Amino acid sequence: MSATNGVTRRSNEVVECDEGPKPAPLSHTKSIGGMTISPELFEKLYLTPKTSAPVGDFRKRFANPTPLGMMGFVISALTFAAILMGWGGATTLVGVAGIFYFTGPVLLLLACIFEWIMGNFFSMMAMGMFAVFWLSFGVLQTPSWGIAASYSTTGSAAEGAASVGYNAAVALYLMVWGFWLFTVFCFALKTNTVFALIFMFAFMSSFIIGGAYWKVSTGDYDMALKLQKAGAAIFFIVALLGYYITVVMMAAELRITLKLPVGDLSHFWPKSDIEMAEMEKTD
């Protein structure tokens, strides 16, 4: 068995017995071109710990959906953060409402469905989570929904968007997201450093942007603007990390010999490619 560019190559072993051929153990997973990949590379490609759950030949028949979802997230996140920071004089997200309904959610939901089919639990959770975040935030940025206007006695969207009730509600919503993103960050520590940092900075950004809405509700607009730009800057880092790990996955899938580190963290944890029954026996 020899290793090249982080990919372990091994012949597809088949054991003959009375019941017919049986595949080799799942210490490696067969990928494109008859190659087998180690648990470390598996986590780099699919952003989820490798397990021995039966997935048939899905990983041979279907392309890796993880970069597709990450691409949608990165494009949406970069645009979102840049506008919140006011780059180029940008003042509102209404003009780019498509990132909340199409660019982000469509690609993320497609990736989520295929991650589910292929049995990639953690990346499925991540894709689905960010898809609904973009959709829910898009509703707030679309005037035709009339959400901000409903907080105004005169039906004015501008007046409603500056109201205490509206901003306090959005602030609480973003803080709930912050707590959940922190939870996911804890679990992401089982994958790799880059993916974990994405969730770490995401939960920080969620709390800070939530604080900006809270300051608007109290009338402290100067501090609100500072918090908005600070939260957006941190979210921009999230987007850059997402861009980096997407490039790493695409290079690995296309067999491009780029040695881009992601900081594998799986070796700090017990092996995950064992059956649930074996886990129960050890308890």
Side-chain angles (χ1 to χ4, degrees):
M1 180 169 62
S2 61
T4 305
N5 299 328
V7 179
T8 304
R9 301 175 182 271
R10 188 176 69 175
S11 60
N12 186 28
E13 300 174 0
V14 176
V15 180
E16 297 288 345
C17 62
D18 295 338
E19 290 81 5
K22 291 184 178 179
L26 286 173
S27 59
H28 291 72
T29 300
K30 191 170 182 179
S31 184
I32 303 170
M35 303 176 72
T36 56
I37 60 179
S38 65
E40 292 77 14
L41 182 59
F42 183 92
E43 289 170 9
K44 180 185 288 188
L45 293 175
Y46 295 99
L47 302 182
T48 191
K50 181 170 175 280
T51 66
S52 58
V55 294
D57 60 350
F58 290 149
R59 293 194 181 105
K60 291 184 290 182
R61 293 167 52 196
F62 300 131
N64 178 6
T66 311
L68 177 68
M70 289 300 297
M71 178 181 69
F73 171 76
V74 167
I75 295 173
S76 299
L78 284 172
T79 307
F80 178 76
I83 292 176
L84 286 188
M85 287 188 287
W87 286 7
T91 58
T92 177
L93 292 162
V94 176
V96 292
I99 66 173
F100 299 111
Y101 294 109
F102 301 102
T103 310
V106 170
L107 296 181
L108 284 163
L109 285 173
L110 284 174
C112 177
I113 292 169
F114 280 100
E115 298 283 10
W116 170 68
I117 291 172
M118 298 174 74
N120 299 329
F121 169 76
F122 193 72
S123 48
M124 174 203 71
M125 290 285 292
M127 300 299 169
M129 177 182 67
F130 283 120
V132 296
F133 170 79
W134 289 126
L135 286 170
S136 64
F137 215 83
V139 170
L140 297 176
Q141 305 303 321
T142 307
S144 59
W145 284 86
I147 294 177
S150 68
Y151 283 85
S152 169
T153 55
T154 62
S156 168
E159 182 181 327
S163 67
V164 174
Y166 175 83
N167 286 282
V170 177
L172 290 171
Y173 177 62
L174 288 173
M175 289 178 183
V176 171
W177 265 105
F179 281 113
W180 176 248
L181 287 166
F182 174 76
T183 303
V184 178
F185 159 69
C186 294
F187 286 105
L189 291 172
K190 195 176 181 182
T191 57
N192 60 67
T193 302
V194 176
F195 203 42
L197 286 175
I198 286 174
F199 288 103
M200 186 187 79
F201 286 117
F203 88 74
M204 292 170 58
S205 176
S206 186
F207 278 123
I208 294 172
I209 295 175
Y213 277 94
W214 197 265
K215 285 299 181 180
V216 171
S217 72
T218 63
D220 191 350
Y221 299 111
D222 289 337
M223 180 57 70
L225 183 60
K226 291 177 182 177
L227 288 172
Q228 175 183 305
K229 290 187 176 182
I234 295 174
F235 201 70
F236 192 78
I237 296 173
V238 172
L240 292 179
L241 289 169
Y243 175 82
Y244 175 82
I245 203 166
T246 304
V247 170
V248 171
M249 288 186 289
M250 292 179 66
E253 288 289 349
L254 294 173
R255 308 298 184 261
I256 297 175
T257 56
L258 290 177
K259 295 183 179 180
L260 299 174
V262 296
D264 176 54
L265 299 174
S266 61
H267 58 277
F268 292 111
W269 298 81
K271 290 181 63 177
S272 61
D273 54 341
I274 58 176
E275 296 286 354
M276 287 292 184
E278 293 296 325
M279 292 177 62
E280 293 177 358
K281 290 178 183 178
T282 60
D283 291 341

